[in-house]
Amino acid sequence: MEILVLVVHILVALGVIGLVLLQHGKGADMGAAFGSGASGSLFGATGSANFLSRTTAVLATIFFVTSLGLTYLAGLGRETQGVMAIPAPVEGIPGSAGSAAPAAEPSSSKVKDLPK
């Protein structure tokens, strides 16, 4: 299920990028008034702007929902602890949080004298 949501998320992200790149900025309206061809488009002069902006809004909403879905799916099956929770001791690692055995201290007999 997580893979499916991730694939949809990536496809929607690419769709949003494409639609944003297709849209004209506010300064592009002046060029359409002088016959740049925007009025002869499939949706008319303002129809394409409304269609693209609404489609972008729908894809952005789907992107938001899939982001929340991926966050939910990533957290399933995991125990949640607070930020201040003490971590469980790790076996085999001396001195880990909460372990009963203290860390081994190096003895002086194991340390070799360095030549001076």
Side-chain angles (χ1 to χ4, degrees):
M1 183 70 171
E2 189 174 351
I3 300 293
L4 176 67
V5 176
L6 183 62
V7 168
V8 170
H9 186 72
I10 292 172
L11 290 176
V12 168
L14 293 175
V16 168
I17 291 170
L19 285 174
V20 167
L21 290 176
L22 283 175
Q23 293 181 23
H24 293 286
K26 291 184 179 181
D29 294 336
M30 191 62 157
F34 292 108
S36 67
S39 60
S41 66
L42 178 64
F43 301 104
T46 59
S48 64
N50 289 337
F51 175 74
L52 289 176
S53 62
R54 288 181 190 208
T55 307
T56 304
V58 168
L59 287 181
T61 304
I62 294 171
F63 182 82
F64 181 72
V65 169
T66 56
S67 296
L68 291 176
L70 284 170
T71 304
Y72 175 74
L73 290 174
L76 283 179
R78 296 182 184 164
E79 286 189 34
T80 57
Q81 295 180 350
V83 177
M84 300 300 290
I86 299 173
V90 179
E91 291 184 30
I93 299 178
S96 66
S99 65
E105 295 181 21
S107 65
S108 61
S109 63
K110 293 181 181 178
V111 179
K112 295 182 180 180
D113 291 330
L114 297 174
K116 295 182 182 180

